[in-house]
Amino acid sequence: MPDAIDREARATRWVAGLMALLGVGLAGWVAAPIARQRLAPPPPIASFGVPEAAAGCDPELTDPVSGKGVHVGRGARVAYLTVPPSSGPHYELPAPLRRFYLAGDRPPVEVLVHNLEHGYTVVWYSADLPAPQVEALRGLAARLGADERTAKFVAAPWDASYGRFPPGRRVGISRWGATAGYRLLCGSVSGAVIERFLAAHPATDSPEPEGA
């Protein structure tokens, strides 16, 4: 009888050990792809949209700047001197920390101009930008927002009542630098173009770079 009990105990321990080993293996099998996914590098910025050569961009424009610290009342409409604006009077509060907007939830232009004052790059896209391009811009906004070096980035639909983009141009990129404004108008979304623009005009070059 004791031998039978010992054999049963050993068998129980063997089964328990096998189950534990299988459990560890299964957990590792499940966790490994998750760990690899977490460790995978983010997609290159240039992989979003079309290549630079296909973006159909005009030469970059440099604008005089004005309106630093000039706030207008909520609901007021500013007649900006350029399309899209690269500086000017604006509402008292900038848009909250969000990277991408659609037409149904976009902030007023005067709100996003305040973001420009704080060092943001704003990419404005026209209502006729093809849906795949809009999705490329959405993905790019998420990619840039995940990196603190490029986090000051917003993409939003352009309000054509403030003026129209030139023919064939559906994307406008703008920055408010400390001494000048910068604009780039393109036909298509290009991560490569936007990456070069961000490198040339970092968020530290702005009237209020410490602003959130």
Side-chain angles (χ1 to χ4, degrees):
M1 181 68 70
D3 289 342
I5 293 174
D6 288 343
R7 285 197 300 273
E8 184 177 349
R10 285 196 298 271
T12 301
R13 288 195 298 269
W14 185 85
V15 171
L18 179 61
M19 294 300 294
L21 184 61
L22 288 173
V24 170
L26 180 60
W29 180 77
V30 172
I34 296 174
R36 285 195 296 270
Q37 184 177 10
R38 288 175 179 170
L39 294 174
I45 296 171
S47 66
F48 293 90
V50 303
E52 183 171 359
C57 297
D58 295 332
E60 184 176 301
L61 300 169
T62 302
D63 308 317
V65 292
S66 62
K68 177 184 177 181
V70 179
H71 297 160
V72 297
R74 185 79 180 181
R77 185 180 176 91
V78 177
Y80 291 106
L81 300 178
T82 62
V83 175
S86 57
S87 70
H90 46 275
Y91 290 173
E92 184 177 5
L93 296 176
L97 194 61
R98 185 173 167 188
R99 313 294 179 214
F100 181 82
Y101 292 92
L102 293 169
D105 59 7
R106 68 183 172 199
V109 172
E110 291 81 3
V111 170
L112 291 176
V113 171
H114 198 156
N115 288 80
L116 287 173
E117 188 182 39
H118 287 185
Y120 281 74
T121 294
V122 178
V123 173
W124 321 78
Y125 62 95
S126 65
D128 61 345
L129 185 69
Q133 291 276 299
V134 174
E135 290 308 306
L137 188 54
R138 185 200 298 268
L140 176 60
R143 165 66 177 84
L144 294 172
D147 188 333
E148 63 179 11
R149 295 169 298 179
T150 56
K152 285 194 167 183
F153 179 89
V154 176
W158 173 244
D159 184 346
S161 68
Y162 285 79
R164 295 190 176 276
F165 290 167
R169 301 297 174 258
R170 298 184 176 92
V171 179
I173 311 169
S174 59
R175 275 279 290 111
W176 184 345
T179 59
Y182 308 98
R183 288 179 296 133
L184 190 60
L185 290 156
C186 302
S188 300
V189 174
S190 170
V193 168
I194 293 171
E195 183 175 33
R196 180 170 55 81
F197 189 89
L198 290 170
H201 308 297
T204 52
D205 175 26
S206 61
E208 299 179 3
E210 72 285 352

Short mmCIF file of all heavy atoms in Angstrom, two decimals, residues 22-34 36:
data_model
loop_
_atom_site.label_atom_id
_atom_site.label_comp_id
_atom_site.label_asym_id
_atom_site.label_seq_id
_atom_site.Cartn_x
_atom_site.Cartn_y
_atom_site.Cartn_z
N LEU A 22 4.38 22.96 -19.66
CA LEU A 22 3.57 23.33 -20.82
C LEU A 22 3.02 24.73 -20.68
O LEU A 22 2.93 25.49 -21.65
CB LEU A 22 2.42 22.33 -20.99
CG LEU A 22 2.82 20.92 -21.49
CD1 LEU A 22 1.62 20.00 -21.45
CD2 LEU A 22 3.41 21.00 -22.88
N GLY A 23 2.63 25.10 -19.44
CA GLY A 23 2.11 26.44 -19.20
C GLY A 23 3.15 27.50 -19.47
O GLY A 23 2.86 28.54 -20.10
N VAL A 24 4.38 27.26 -19.01
CA VAL A 24 5.46 28.22 -19.25
C VAL A 24 5.73 28.34 -20.75
O VAL A 24 5.91 29.43 -21.30
CB VAL A 24 6.72 27.79 -18.49
CG1 VAL A 24 7.93 28.65 -18.94
CG2 VAL A 24 6.51 27.92 -17.00
N GLY A 25 5.75 27.17 -21.43
CA GLY A 25 5.99 27.20 -22.88
C GLY A 25 4.91 27.94 -23.62
O GLY A 25 5.18 28.72 -24.53
N LEU A 26 3.66 27.71 -23.23
CA LEU A 26 2.54 28.38 -23.88
C LEU A 26 2.61 29.88 -23.65
O LEU A 26 2.38 30.68 -24.56
CB LEU A 26 1.21 27.81 -23.36
CG LEU A 26 -0.06 28.42 -23.97
CD1 LEU A 26 -0.09 28.20 -25.48
CD2 LEU A 26 -1.31 27.83 -23.31
N ALA A 27 2.91 30.26 -22.40
CA ALA A 27 3.01 31.69 -22.09
C ALA A 27 4.11 32.34 -22.91
O ALA A 27 3.96 33.45 -23.44
CB ALA A 27 3.28 31.88 -20.60
N GLY A 28 5.25 31.63 -23.04
CA GLY A 28 6.33 32.16 -23.85
C GLY A 28 5.95 32.27 -25.31
O GLY A 28 6.29 33.24 -26.00
N TRP A 29 5.23 31.26 -25.82
CA TRP A 29 4.80 31.26 -27.21
C TRP A 29 3.87 32.44 -27.51
O TRP A 29 3.93 33.06 -28.56
CB TRP A 29 4.09 29.94 -27.52
CG TRP A 29 3.61 29.84 -28.94
CD1 TRP A 29 4.35 29.59 -30.05
CD2 TRP A 29 2.25 30.01 -29.39
NE1 TRP A 29 3.56 29.57 -31.17
CE2 TRP A 29 2.26 29.82 -30.79
CE3 TRP A 29 1.05 30.28 -28.74
CZ2 TRP A 29 1.10 29.92 -31.55
CZ3 TRP A 29 -0.11 30.36 -29.50
CH2 TRP A 29 -0.07 30.18 -30.89
N VAL A 30 3.00 32.77 -26.54
CA VAL A 30 2.07 33.90 -26.71
C VAL A 30 2.80 35.22 -26.54
O VAL A 30 2.57 36.18 -27.27
CB VAL A 30 0.91 33.79 -25.69
CG1 VAL A 30 0.07 35.06 -25.72
CG2 VAL A 30 0.06 32.57 -25.99
N ALA A 31 3.71 35.27 -25.55
CA ALA A 31 4.36 36.55 -25.23
C ALA A 31 5.41 36.95 -26.25
O ALA A 31 5.64 38.14 -26.45
CB ALA A 31 5.01 36.45 -23.84
N ALA A 32 6.03 35.97 -26.91
CA ALA A 32 7.13 36.29 -27.82
C ALA A 32 6.71 37.23 -28.94
O ALA A 32 7.37 38.24 -29.19
CB ALA A 32 7.75 35.01 -28.38
N PRO A 33 5.60 36.95 -29.67
CA PRO A 33 5.21 37.90 -30.72
C PRO A 33 4.86 39.26 -30.16
O PRO A 33 5.12 40.28 -30.80
CB PRO A 33 3.97 37.22 -31.35
CG PRO A 33 4.07 35.78 -30.96
CD PRO A 33 4.74 35.77 -29.63
N ILE A 34 4.25 39.31 -28.97
CA ILE A 34 3.90 40.59 -28.37
C ILE A 34 5.17 41.37 -28.06
O ILE A 34 5.27 42.58 -28.31
CB ILE A 34 3.06 40.38 -27.09
CG1 ILE A 34 1.73 39.72 -27.45
CG2 ILE A 34 2.83 41.70 -26.38
CD1 ILE A 34 0.89 39.34 -26.25
N ARG A 36 8.07 41.01 -29.51
CA ARG A 36 8.67 41.44 -30.77
C ARG A 36 7.95 42.65 -31.32
O ARG A 36 8.56 43.57 -31.87
CB ARG A 36 8.65 40.30 -31.77
CG ARG A 36 9.68 39.20 -31.50
CD ARG A 36 9.86 38.31 -32.71
NE ARG A 36 8.65 37.59 -33.03
CZ ARG A 36 8.35 36.38 -32.54
NH1 ARG A 36 9.18 35.79 -31.70
NH2 ARG A 36 7.24 35.77 -32.90
#
